[in-house]
Amino acid sequence: MLLAAVALMACSAGARAEDGYNLWLRYAPLDPVLAADYATQLGEVVAPDQTPTLRAARDELVRGLTGLLGTAPRIQNESSAGHVLALGTPQSSALIAPFREELESLGEEGYLLKRTRRDGRDMLLVASRSDIGVLYGTFHLLRLLQTGTALDELTVHEAPRVRLRVLDHWDNLDGYVERGYAGRSLWEWQTLPEWRDPRYTDYARANASLGINGTVLNNVNANAQSLAPQYLDKAAALADVFRPYGIRVYLSARFSAPIELGGLKTADPLDPAVQQWWRDKADEIYQRIPDFGGFLVKANSEGQPGPQDYGRSHADGANLLADALAPHGGVVMWRAFVYAHDVADDRATQAYTEFAGLDGAFRPNVVLQVKNGPIDFQPREPFHPLFGAMPRTPLMMEFQITKEYLGFATHLVYLGPLFEEVLQADTRAGGKRFTVAQSLSGIAGVANIGTDRTWSGSHFDQANWYAFGRLAWNPDQSSRDIAADWAAMTFSPDPAVVQPIVGMMMASREATVNYMTPLGLHHLMARGHHYGPGPWVDGGPRADWTSVYYHRADRNGIGFDRTATGSNAVVQYAPEVAATYADLTQVPEALLLWFHHVPWDHGMASGRPLWDELVGRYSSGVRQVQAMQDTWASLRGRVDADRHEQVAAFLQIQLREAQWWRDASVAYFQSISGRPLPAGEAPPPHPLAYYQALQFPSAPGDGR
Amino acid sequence: MLLAAVALMACSAGARAEDGYNLWLRYAPLDPVLAADYATQLGEVVAPDQTPTLRAARDELVRGLTGLLGTAPRIQNESSAGHVLALGTPQSSALIAPFREELESLGEEGYLLKRTRRDGRDMLLVASRSDIGVLYGTFHLLRLLQTGTALDELTVHEAPRVRLRVLDHWDNLDGYVERGYAGRSLWEWQTLPEWRDPRYTDYARANASLGINGTVLNNVNANAQSLAPQYLDKAAALADVFRPYGIRVYLSARFSAPIELGGLKTADPLDPAVQQWWRDKADEIYQRIPDFGGFLVKANSEGQPGPQDYGRSHADGANLLADALAPHGGVVMWRAFVYAHDVADDRATQAYTEFAGLDGAFRPNVVLQVKNGPIDFQPREPFHPLFGAMPRTPLMMEFQITKEYLGFATHLVYLGPLFEEVLQADTRAGGKRFTVAQSLSGIAGVANIGTDRTWSGSHFDQANWYAFGRLAWNPDQSSRDIAADWAAMTFSPDPAVVQPIVGMMMASREATVNYMTPLGLHHLMARGHHYGPGPWVDGGPRADWTSVYYHRADRNGIGFDRTATGSNAVVQYAPEVAATYADLTQVPEALLLWFHHVPWDHGMASGRPLWDELVGRYSSGVRQVQAMQDTWASLRGRVDADRHEQVAAFLQIQLREAQWWRDASVAYFQSISGRPLPAGEAPPPHPLAYYQALQFPSAPGDGR
């Protein structure tokens, strides 16, 4: 007892246990009865450790079981125990070798979890054709334990549905994270390559637990310096740390790097000297990082250089880099997020216009990276029309995990439903069911990760990293199920904790749509930093960086007509989809004002006129935040005090800001519509000018 | 035993114990024999808790004793035990009341630690006239235990020698820290005022443990927004957290705030509307923060606005703010760090020229804040000539704890000896011994604190925060003794650990002087970010931002002639000091090239010519880093592996950069002197052009 007390004191002096650092890998002690039952069923562990990846799997198993079951597992080279937990590949483990055939169909990253009897013994296998599959399987098994899942009759065959599962870090070399709300960049370039912060390993563990297999270290608004030798040495040190966890390093490449680094006069993709420069650069990289993943490129977009500077196409640009990488097996992720300030077309149409015609023009190792919607990571957008429209080109989804347009890290918004809504959208490509998920060769997420102790800027934003990773592995999963796993692993497997938390999470995204941009409105955030409401934003360098461009509200109505009478953006979708969106009677109300300009008195499904509905949605968003507060308050005592207090404070911020969004938006739109507030709706406490005058020059994450 | 194992596992899953977060307040278990002895001597604890500060003292005592002695102390309201540890003031504790008279001389912040017998009992008193004194005394007692000091015959009378003991945070509102090498700003403006991160409390604890009693939250290159209501609400929340720990909040004030925030047309200090604006602003601040400390101002310096923009003096500017703060008891800390780009005078002379004649012109609540040396926080400077030169003006020392010019956070440089050297410098003001320390009403340190888990960017940089605080309390302490305390508290009280670490620390500053700027050289760092060597820096916007301005090397010799044949800066010192510095036979070699331009073959004390000595110093700096590495390697196993590994990696970076400094500097100066390297000196491995071509556009902490 004394020893226990001393031990506890020693470690309580050491650190707060519940500061969020351990993410969903807390491995907190299970209910003792359940723990004892698991311990019996698992028995002795046979886990080979010939490779760094197998060692990582074994170490994670030890860490997890020790935490969950309260006692370190017995690790044996061989075992004659009645119950055996066996990890490995057919090559590394005699216990796994007999199951070689069953593993054939699972590919290089898949794994098998199987409870079986053999030679009179009860065995639980974590088996794969590859070491990394063993690690993935180990994390899967630990998840089953963390969520209290029964192991009887366990048989899991898992293989990733998507090949490229990548985090995009918008991290600058000086440590600033563009659109980052979770501290500085994790990458401490100043202390690399000598110092390999243990946090890099924990980052890799967390990603491997989800099956994420790539990371783009630097911002798509790229600095050519990241390709200079001194930074390649540093990136190589990170690659060394990540390699055992199956994570490849990628770099954002600045298209003009041959000029800036190489001293060439041009970056023209058809210039032989430019081609040679990239080939040499690729060789130089692969010498340091033999499993380098490849390049991510933002070209001819928002001021970035690109092939069009030389009259060449995006395909010319992408193929230039692809040819340099191809001998080494690298990939080019070429972003389709382009729009030009000198093009009068609806911004929503420009990526499709630019790229759809290039289908088939790219090298096989080019993947086109397309944002989930046609504008820019709004609280709700229809799916991007390029999905399903480029059958001969590998496409990659780009989600934004960091919540640039969804309240930053202080708003509790679970993005799982947003991801799921897009992934399950039916493109009707070829005239039949063909979901966005089916169209994908890769999924990228703009990371919400930084040096904040919680990693993600808040406890609940960890769920967005988590959900992204799970859906990247298998885009057909349910975001609700994922939320339940996350809540159980992160807070407690007690259903009295999990259920209310899942309820909060599942309602949270719609709440945010309501208090920010209901009914298909979009891009109404304040200019630049996107912090808070700015529906009045007008003027400035370009029309499509204003709010009035998107909402088009006037005395008579509101909304962006994207039908044939307007920009006709609908025709970029497959005919059946286009017909639905274009038809005022069929378009989902959630996208009404995305596709239609509608009179203020347009009748809504609720029976209310549009104006009343709009105001009502804003107010209901605020009430939904209050409901989250109530739910959270009811969990006091069931969730540790440290995290409970922080989440409660953040919900208070969210409420303040939701109210601000509602009041400012109602004040503004009322100044346009000239209509009275619906009965029971409180007038905004300040005049419109008050909201318009608020300035936040130091809001975080602003692009610079 | 099982319980102990489970407890340890639970917490080992929770966090790394030795990541540096706990600073010198680790309270690691003492040797069991010593711990038992202390426990007996201390006995029961009587510690009143009527106020937040007394509660903080009691909580710290419990935390400290629990960690150090392995068992929580028994806290009683009264005690009849044979041994009693009594905390409190005469008002709050009947056990302390009899000692009222002994406390009289200790002032409002002083305290008494006293072992005594009374009424047949052995008592240890932690007593003060004020609650904050009790807290300071508690930290002192804990330090005695942490360092294994015998408590027999203990009698400590302590009172601070300096009134204002302040950290200056150069933190921007967007979280960027100018000249910060330890992550982002601690202040999370985005989540204040709702969320009060527990780290704010730990920051306050660490400062209170040193007696620091003020913190300037924002950068001296100030943003007027920090005085806007929304930010005052946030600052008030921080003030609430800090108040129990005796720490007052100050703000850097932008002199033009009446224009930027108030919409006035001018910030002229003699304009009645401007005066009214500042009075109103002060009232607004004190309404939120009743114990607000006051303003820090950088005016008419490096582009900042100031009174000279309106033809007024620095005294006019400072008095404007002083008058606004005076009714509330606030202070203006006005910086003397000024130099003008249109003034041809030696930059080292300009602050004195500007301010010395204003002695007596300031309001009583103005304190003039003077950097330690006349240039800018160099590895070595003579003391600033304003110290001792303004007898009618309260002066405040400004040290830079963050190592802008000393290798950032990756170089192990203990600044204690630098601080001590300046504080103990004899100004000879009035023709008699009068140290810089004696001239001070306040000490400010530019903080090296950020969100890095170590707080300071490295484990050893914590020592610089620590030494600053200890010297601010009592500037006549020995930096070696302070280093020993710090090493014992931070690593281990084992002399086999403390002695080698103190040896490393005490040699480290001279090592850095040697490999960067030996023999009085200064300001040879690369332009802007000051990362790495740049002795060749020339041109650009102003001469006094170049290296060649300072070293003045030519074919014949090197050094800045500041005697009568040169800029005559020496005359700003008292006559005896001036005579010493001006005399080539008396000037300390450490300041030789600061004050004199000397031929390359000038004979040095070593018997070597200057050129040989210079090259030798550069090389010896590198060898001194190697010696630190050897010492550190010998501590493997005596220092926990986590911190040992990180420090070793940082020393490797330091060695790489020290070698770079040596090679680049030798290559450059050889190109000027045209002299052969002394025998045994290796030629730089690259030509000079290689070093000159290196670019570090993303070096951390660069002023923007």
Side-chain angles (χ1 to χ4, degrees), chain B residues 380-414:
Chain B
R380 170 167 278 125
E381 300 191 32
F383 69 89
H384 199 294
L386 279 172
F387 293 116
M390 297 186 70
R392 292 178 294 162
T393 304
L395 294 189
M396 191 159 179
M397 170 67 71
E398 181 175 335
F399 283 128
Q400 193 185 48
I401 311 172
T402 188
K403 306 202 309 298
E404 175 183 353
Y405 295 98
L406 288 104
F408 302 177
T410 36
H411 290 211
L412 195 166
V413 189
Y414 174 52

Side-chain angles (χ1 to χ4, degrees), chain A residues 59-403:
Chain A
D59 291 351
E60 194 70 30
L61 187 77
V62 170
R63 179 197 294 252
L65 294 184
T66 304
L68 291 164
L69 309 185
T71 172
R74 247 186 301 174
I75 306 273
Q76 308 283 358
N77 286 331
E78 300 172 39
S79 173
S80 54
H83 289 77
V84 177
L85 168 58
L87 273 58
T89 59
Q91 294 74 38
S92 62
S93 168
L95 294 175
I96 302 297
F99 299 89
R100 189 184 301 265
E101 266 184 45
E102 192 167 350
L103 301 175
E104 285 302 316
S105 64
L106 298 174
E108 282 305 310
E109 296 182 303
Y111 55 84
L112 168 71
L113 304 187
K114 186 183 180 99
R115 187 91 179 265
T116 185
R117 289 196 70 79
R118 194 173 174 91
D119 304 333
R121 297 195 295 167
D122 183 308
M123 292 178 59
L124 202 159
L125 310 177
V126 178
S128 172
R129 291 170 58 191
S130 67
D131 293 350
I132 188 64
V134 176
L135 179 61
Y136 290 157
T138 301
F139 277 114
H140 191 133
L141 174 64
L142 288 168
R143 183 170 84 229
L144 296 178
L145 303 181
Q146 287 169 281
T147 53
T149 311
L151 301 181
D152 320 300
E153 316 291 328
L154 180 69
T155 309
V156 171
H157 292 84
E158 274 284 340
R161 305 275 187 92
V162 175
R163 185 167 56 94
L164 300 170
R165 309 179 297 276
V166 175
L167 284 178
D168 290 354
H169 288 269
W170 285 0
D171 293 14
N172 293 347
L173 294 178
D174 65 358
Y176 182 82
V177 182
E178 184 169 336
R179 310 309 179 183
Y181 315 102
R184 280 163 52 91
S185 172
L186 278 186
W187 325 130
E188 294 286 349
W189 297 109
Q190 189 70 11
T191 56
L192 285 167
E194 283 91 348
W195 172 235
R196 300 175 180 199
D197 194 312
R199 192 158 188 166
Y200 303 149
T201 303
D202 288 331
Y203 166 86
R205 287 177 50 235
N207 282 322
S209 79
L210 306 171
I212 289 171
N213 66 2
T215 180
V216 185
L217 298 178
N218 61 317
N219 193 348
V220 289
N221 292 319
N223 185 331
Q225 283 288 325
S226 63
L227 300 176
Q230 69 197 77
Y231 281 103
L232 294 179
D233 287 341
K234 296 166 188 279
L238 290 174
D240 289 344
V241 175
F242 300 159
R243 189 167 295 112
Y245 299 90
I247 296 165
R248 288 182 179 215
V249 157
Y250 296 75
L251 292 171
S252 290
R254 188 165 163 88
F255 198 78
S256 53
I259 299 171
E260 291 146 10
L261 284 187
L264 302 188
K265 294 253 187 301
T266 178
D268 182 347
L270 302 192
D271 185 295
V274 171
Q275 294 166 353
Q276 186 63 47
W277 189 89
W278 282 109
R279 279 197 297 272
D280 291 346
K281 182 53 70 178
D283 294 348
E284 186 188 355
I285 295 172
Y286 280 91
Q287 202 174 12
R288 289 171 169 86
I289 311 174
D291 57 351
F292 179 67
F295 295 131
L296 171 64
V297 187
K298 174 178 181 175
N300 291 123
S301 171
E302 299 185 319
Q304 294 295 316
Q308 294 179 338
D309 302 346
Y310 307 95
R312 316 299 184 189
S313 74
H314 280 284
D316 293 330
N319 292 343
L320 163 75
L321 301 178
D323 288 343
L325 294 168
H328 307 283
V331 163
V332 174
M333 302 181 294
W334 192 267
R335 289 177 96 229
F337 177 68
V338 301
Y339 59 101
H341 63 94
D342 53 357
V343 174
D345 291 350
D346 177 4
R347 174 172 152 188
T349 65
Q350 293 184 38
Y352 181 99
T353 304
E354 191 83 59
F355 281 94
L358 293 174
D359 192 26
F362 294 98
R363 298 283 189 271
N365 61 331
V366 174
V367 185
L368 197 64
Q369 184 165 309
V370 181
K371 288 190 181 183
N372 59 279
I375 296 294
D376 194 14
F377 301 136
Q378 295 302 298
R380 171 167 279 124
E381 301 190 33
F383 70 89
H384 199 294
L386 279 173
F387 293 115
M390 297 187 71
R392 290 177 296 161
T393 306
L395 294 190
M396 191 158 178
M397 169 67 71
E398 180 174 333
F399 283 129
Q400 192 185 47
I401 312 172
T402 188
K403 306 203 309 296

